[in-house]
Amino acid sequence: MYACSPFNTLSEDDIQRIIQQIKARPNPAGAPWAGLSVEKAIDSLATEYRGELQQLCTAERIGDSAASDVFHGFLQFLQSLNGVFCSYSEGASRICGAEQRIIGDMAWNALIYQVLDTRVLAWMEEWLYVSLSCVLHCVVRQPSTIAHLNSAVDSGIVARLQQVHRDTGAVVVGFGDSAIAQSLVSEDDTESDDTLDDSDPAQSERRKLFARIASDPRQIGMFVNDFASGCRLLVTLRIVAYASRTLSNAVDRLVDANVQKQANRWDTPCLDLLLTRVRLVATTLDALLCGPATAQPFFLGHAESRLYAKFSELRVSELFGIIIDYPDSRQAIADLRACVVKLRTMRQMAHSLRNAIQQRLLHPGATTSDILTQYISAIRCLRLLDPSSTVLEIVARPIRSYLRSREDTVSCIVQDMVSEESELFEDLASGHGVIMDNGAEGVVYDEDYADKSWEPLPIEAKNVYLTAQRRDADVLSLLVSIYETKDVFVQEFERHLAQRLLACTDYSAEREIRQVEMMKLRFGDRTLEKCEVMLKDVADSKRTDQHVSETSQEKHWDMPLHALIVSRQFWSSMPKEQFAVPHEMADMRNKYAGMYESLKPARKLEWRDALGSVTLRIELADRTVSVSAKPAQAAVLFAFQETPVMTLAELAQKMECSEEFVLSRVRFWQTRGVVRETDANVFEVVEAEGSSGNDVAGRASRPAAGLGNAVASGAGSDQGEDYDDDDEGDASGGAAGASNARTEALRVHFNFVEGILRNFGPLPLDRILSMLGMFMPGENTTAEELRSFLALMAREDKLEMAGGLYKLK
């Protein structure tokens, strides 16, 4: 049979060539076609009807895009074509005998192919799309449409649909199980119409048409009858063979519109609903276009393939958001797994997700905590998508590498491990999962705790993907395996535990004890020995404090001081501040130390003021203020008790420390309205709020006798990391540039600068200045002041500058 491209037109020569080829074809008996008069007659007949068909196809009705006009207009067009076809067939039957009928048929095929230009094809596509959308709309709005057809439907059409349903078991309009009918309806159908394409300008017209038809069962029957008649006319007029691509495009539009309506619907299963709807429409179309005798599931297979491809494409594009929304998005993950398994596109999905993560997550603007949260969700989601964890390894590699480059990764993981609201806490508290230990190749696992419900590892994953080989490990184990040793996590936990215990004001450490016990289950008893000593120190300090309290009562001493006494060999190095302690505080310390040394004669106390706190009640002329401060901050206020107005140099001399050390402590009282700066480096006590500098009374603030929560350490000292989260001054003092008060005042903002550089990496001066303004509204620091401050930080070895960029040491 002569084959043509469905998007070209035929000339007269094309028609003649087709006829010549037909005549040259032998008949079943082997004799050639004969009769030159037949050729000329067919040529003349084709020429006559070609003009009529061309005139019919150039009618202006094609340009109307209203849904009702598209549907009824194209149906009328097909009926007009059928009238021409009947007239042509009568003429051809008079020219050709029964043996030569194929000549007339092929000539008609050539004529139909000629008139199927782009305008007609577009009209046909729109008609079929509107028709199929309306069919689906009616079924969704009126599920009973599946179970029966109205009496208005032609009996021949009903018979065809019934036979297809009986022979294939497929669900078609008018025949099917009521349970399947109910499965076509989703909760969202009451709010929106899943069969409409929102981007189509004729959507409102279609909605009116669909609503009118679906409102009346008789209207549904008449519509199905008209649609079926149109499909049979497409077959009769030999259009289907030449326009299969156009018909497929209409089915594709319907599938795409339904798939797009499922965007961001992650909490409900969507794939099965879409499959049921698409199968209903495609099978009905196959039945109407092919008939029961030659029913082939062409449109069904095409629609299902399109559905899987487009739905998979949609969910893969949303996978980054699906992971963020986990576990509420578990249904979306199940649907996506069904698609990628069928299409075998698991690896393509993995690379797409990896690219999305690198662009949207692995950049300086994302905090380490956010990256870890996303990584944890990705682990759980991708294990549902691919139990072999091969996909997880493809996606996890750049995340793990990027997390290793962040300085606060270990700290964030440990914080999540001990936070009861975190997912990692559940892994830590479970006591199950893979036990971690340090091996020759980094972190290895005890296989006795492995999850045995696993799938075989793909061949390409063996000896390549480490995470795939660790697919039995829980989330906590995978996070620890980012580094080659677990020791960094144990050390970070020790620092965390020390901070928590130092913050305990009542020696209560039940929560910390539970955390240590859980850590021992995962990291081993021997690795947590220092933590055990810390907990023992807290318990011993509680007993010592009780002894001091009882002894003080016997001697009628007022002892509001409580101390945490630690073993310096097992605690992280703690800072030591050098300043003159006021005699009120010194007397209490001496009494406390004396009672401690009487209890343990071989030991003595060495105080660590940077870790202590003092509760003060400050009585001023018009108000009383209660403040919790560090001992060094309290010492500054004690100095003002004798002299209400002092210069920075006088304060430094009285406290026996540097001006730099004193300045940040004075700023603490400035922010609380207790002290104000009347001139450059001149400070006074604010006895009455709103008073001017000349109205200052001669009485300074008077601290209360109650001092609490001081922290002490055992004899000897190790210099190390500062636990003080309030004072930013350097205990050693003596930095150049201390005379610049504004520059030194910026020390209180160094935490912001440090956080900016940690999250965004090396930055120039102007970028740091603009970000300070963004994070601290109202800040009026100039570029020169910030430059001097950053230079000071560089001299103190906290920052370094290279190529015009500042970065952390």
Side-chain angles (χ1 to χ4, degrees):
M1 184 174 181
Y2 185 78
C4 303
S5 172
F7 295 103
N8 297 323
T9 58
L10 288 177
S11 64
E12 294 183 16
D13 293 338
D14 293 328
I15 298 176
Q16 293 297 332
R17 187 169 59 254
I18 293 176
I19 295 175
Q20 292 293 341
Q21 290 179 354
I22 295 173
K23 292 180 62 177
R25 184 172 301 180
N27 63 12
W33 294 107
L36 186 60
S37 59
V38 173
E39 176 186 356
K40 289 182 177 181
I42 290 295
D43 181 26
S44 176
L45 186 67
T47 301
E48 174 186 351
Y49 282 97
R50 181 170 65 252
E52 186 175 349
L53 290 174
Q54 288 176 339
Q55 182 179 1
L56 184 63
C57 293
T58 56
E60 293 300 325
R61 73 185 78 175
I62 300 178
D64 196 338
S65 60
S68 58
D69 293 336
V70 167
F71 179 77
H72 296 294
F74 188 75
L75 187 59
Q76 293 176 1
F77 169 72
L78 290 179
Q79 291 171 349
S80 299
L81 283 181
N82 188 53
V84 177
F85 172 70
C86 292
S87 178
Y88 170 85
S89 297
E90 290 179 3
S93 62
R94 289 193 297 268
I95 297 173
C96 303
E99 301 85 359
Q100 299 171 325
R101 184 60 183 267
I102 190 173
I103 299 177
D105 291 343
M106 289 303 297
W108 172 259
N109 291 344
L111 289 175
I112 284 294
Y113 178 68
Q114 180 182 8
V115 301
L116 293 181
D117 59 11
T118 55
R119 296 176 71 247
V120 176
L121 292 175
W123 196 14
M124 184 190 311
E125 179 183 325
E126 187 67 18
W127 173 80
L128 187 59
Y129 172 67
V130 171
S131 302
L132 294 176
S133 298
C134 191
V135 167
L136 187 53
H137 179 92
C138 292
V139 171
V140 170
R141 299 298 178 180
Q142 298 284 346
S144 59
T145 304
I146 285 187
H148 71 278
L149 282 178
N150 190 275
S151 58
V153 180
D154 181 79
S155 59
I157 297 174
V158 174
R160 264 194 307 276
L161 294 173
Q162 186 176 18
Q163 185 171 347
V164 170
H165 171 67
R166 183 175 58 251
D167 294 345
T168 64
V171 180
V172 294
V173 172
F175 302 96
D177 190 354
S178 59
I180 297 178
Q182 294 300 324
S183 69
L184 289 168
V185 184
S186 69
E187 296 179 358
D188 299 311
D189 289 327
T190 58
E191 302 294 335
S192 62
D193 193 333
D194 286 346
T195 68
L196 296 179
D197 185 357
D198 290 334
S199 63
D200 196 315
Q203 178 190 4
S204 60
E205 291 295 329
R206 292 175 191 160
R207 191 181 299 276
K208 294 177 183 178
L209 173 67
F210 297 170
R212 185 175 70 252
I213 294 175
S215 62
D216 183 6
R218 182 174 178 80
Q219 290 283 343
I220 295 176
M222 294 175 61
F223 171 79
V224 171
N225 188 65
D226 290 342
F227 173 57
S229 298
C231 290
R232 297 314 301 169
L233 285 174
L234 290 176
V235 176
T236 301
L237 296 172
R238 323 283 174 80
I239 293 178
V240 174
Y242 294 104
S244 59
R245 184 180 302 178
T246 300
L247 301 178
S248 299
N249 289 342
V251 175
D252 291 345
R253 287 180 58 188
L254 180 68
V255 172
D256 295 352
N258 277 267
V259 168
Q260 195 56 42
K261 288 296 182 179
Q262 309 306 319
N264 299 318
R265 293 182 181 177
W266 303 334
D267 56 345
T268 57
C270 299
L271 184 58
D272 289 342
L273 174 69
L274 290 174
L275 279 171
T276 304
R277 292 181 175 182
V278 167
R279 285 168 178 166
L280 168 72
V281 174
T283 306
T284 302
L285 184 61
D286 277 326
L288 295 177
L289 290 179
C290 302
T294 59
Q296 298 293 330
F298 172 78
F299 290 106
L300 176 61
H302 176 82
E304 286 188 354
S305 299
R306 179 78 176 189
L307 174 62
Y308 277 109
K310 299 303 291 186
F311 188 76
S312 175
E313 180 182 324
L314 173 67
R315 286 294 184 254
V316 168
S317 68
E318 298 175 331
L319 188 51
F320 186 88
I322 290 173
I323 291 175
I324 293 178
D325 205 44
Y326 183 84
D328 294 337
S329 58
R330 292 179 66 96
Q331 296 293 343
I333 297 172
D335 286 346
L336 179 57
R337 172 171 168 77
C339 286
V340 295
V341 168
K342 182 176 182 63
L343 299 175
R344 298 182 180 180
T345 57
M346 193 78 75
R347 187 174 296 274
Q348 292 89 321
M349 176 200 68
H351 288 287
S352 175
L353 177 60
R354 183 176 67 179
N355 294 335
I357 287 176
Q358 288 177 323
Q359 294 175 7
R360 302 174 59 180
L361 187 66
L362 305 184
H363 55 80
T367 65
T368 304
S369 178
D370 290 340
I371 297 174
L372 285 171
T373 300
Q374 184 75 344
Y375 181 36
I376 292 172
S377 296
I379 292 173
R380 302 188 188 280
C381 290
L382 296 181
R383 280 182 164 174
L384 293 177
L385 282 171
D386 175 29
S388 72
S389 292
T390 306
V391 172
L392 175 59
E393 177 61 28
I394 296 175
V395 175
R397 277 185 173 181
I399 302 178
R400 295 163 65 87
S401 177
Y402 187 79
L403 286 172
R404 280 195 295 270
S405 68
R406 289 237 176 165
E407 296 179 356
D408 59 338
T409 298
V410 176
S411 175
C412 289
I413 294 176
V414 172
Q415 290 293 333
D416 283 346
M417 285 167 51
V418 298
S419 175
E420 295 183 1
E421 295 78 20
S422 171
E423 295 181 72
L424 289 184
F425 181 81
E426 299 178 3
D427 287 350
L428 184 67
S430 66
H432 301 292
V434 182
I435 296 179
M436 297 167 289
D437 197 3
N438 294 337
E441 298 180 355
V443 179
V444 295
Y445 308 90
D446 189 344
E447 295 183 357
D448 292 339
Y449 289 84
D451 181 11
K452 302 304 181 183
S453 58
W454 53 271
E455 295 184 3
L457 192 65
I459 297 177
E460 64 271 17
K462 293 182 178 179
N463 302 321
V464 176
Y465 301 129
L466 296 179
T467 304
Q469 296 177 26
R470 293 194 296 263
R471 63 191 187 279
D472 300 323
D474 60 2
V475 174
L476 179 57
S477 301
L478 292 179
L479 290 177
V480 173
S481 68
I482 292 175
Y483 298 86
E484 294 182 353
T485 174
K486 65 179 182 181
D487 294 340
V488 292
F489 293 91
V490 174
Q491 294 167 3
E492 181 62 31
F493 178 75
E494 291 172 355
R495 286 191 287 269
H496 165 80
L497 181 63
Q499 293 179 7
R500 293 283 305 175
L501 294 178
L502 289 172
C504 292
T505 59
D506 56 355
Y507 305 102
S508 177
E510 287 78 8
R511 179 180 178 181
E512 287 71 25
I513 292 174
R514 289 197 303 270
Q515 291 176 358
V516 171
E517 291 301 321
M518 290 186 295
M519 289 288 291
K520 286 165 64 176
L521 292 176
R522 301 305 301 268
F523 292 87
D525 292 350
R526 297 184 59 183
T527 58
L528 276 299
E529 289 179 350
K530 290 182 65 174
C531 297
E532 292 284 357
V533 175
M534 293 181 190
L535 295 175
K536 183 177 182 299
D537 286 342
V538 174
D540 292 344
S541 298
K542 184 177 182 179
R543 288 191 292 269
T544 299
D545 190 74
Q546 291 174 348
H547 169 75
V548 171
S549 177
E550 294 171 357
T551 304
S552 299
Q553 292 177 3
E554 294 174 359
K555 296 183 177 183
H556 304 287
W557 288 348
D558 183 16
M559 181 54 66
L561 177 63
H562 305 277
L564 176 62
I565 305 170
V566 304
S567 305
R568 63 184 179 89
Q569 297 92 341
F570 293 92
W571 290 65
S572 299
S573 300
M574 293 178 287
K576 183 178 181 180
E577 295 178 337
Q578 297 290 346
F579 66 94
V581 179
H583 66 85
E584 294 91 342
M585 297 170 59
D587 290 345
M588 291 183 186
R589 289 184 176 185
N590 292 335
K591 290 179 181 179
Y592 196 102
M595 286 181 281
Y596 173 77
E597 291 171 7
S598 65
L599 183 64
K600 297 185 177 181
R603 301 183 182 179
K604 65 178 181 177
L605 297 180
E606 183 175 317
W607 299 89
R608 290 292 186 267
D609 298 297
L611 305 177
S613 63
V614 182
T615 302
L616 300 173
R617 188 178 71 254
I618 307 168
E619 297 178 357
L620 300 169
D622 62 345
R623 66 197 185 281
T624 299
V625 181
S626 295
V627 179
S628 179
K630 297 292 185 182
Q633 295 165 344
V636 170
L637 205 58
F638 273 98
F640 278 107
Q641 189 167 239
E642 299 176 359
T643 308
V645 180
M646 300 181 70
T647 66
L648 186 64
E650 291 172 344
L651 275 171
Q653 183 179 5
K654 192 166 186 178
M655 291 183 60
E656 300 177 7
C657 59
S658 67
E659 294 181 9
E660 178 190 5
F661 180 84
V662 172
L663 182 61
S664 62
R665 277 71 185 174
V666 175
R667 300 293 186 201
F668 173 83
W669 296 111
Q670 272 188 275
T671 60
R672 286 155 180 79
V674 178
V675 174
R676 66 184 166 205
E677 188 173 10
T678 59
D679 201 355
N681 294 337
V682 178
F683 303 92
E684 67 179 9
V685 177
V686 183
E687 281 286 351
E689 291 183 330
S691 63
S692 63
N694 297 327
D695 298 330
V696 179
R699 181 171 61 86
S701 59
R702 183 172 60 192
L707 303 176
N709 304 326
V711 179
S713 71
S717 63
D718 293 331
Q719 298 303 322
E721 181 177 352
D722 194 345
Y723 277 90
D724 190 355
D725 59 356
D726 200 351
D727 293 342
E728 286 78 27
D730 183 7
S732 62
S739 60
N740 189 334
R742 179 57 184 158
T743 301
E744 298 308 314
L746 285 172
R747 282 188 177 276
V748 297
H749 304 331
F750 183 70
N751 282 344
F752 289 98
V753 176
E754 187 178 19
I756 290 170
L757 295 179
R758 178 179 295 113
N759 289 323
F760 293 92
L763 294 174
L765 177 71
D766 58 344
R767 183 76 184 280
I768 298 175
L769 184 63
S770 64
M771 297 189 75
L772 274 178
M774 180 175 62
F775 291 118
M776 302 175 62
E779 174 61 28
N780 57 357
T781 304
T782 66
E784 243 352 274
E785 291 171 343
L786 182 59
R787 182 179 288 105
S788 300
F789 170 67
L790 296 179
L792 178 61
M793 294 296 98
R795 289 195 297 272
E796 294 181 0
D797 209 34
K798 295 179 180 179
L799 299 177
E800 64 179 353
M801 181 179 180
L805 301 178
Y806 294 90
K807 64 179 181 178
L808 296 174
K809 291 285 284 186

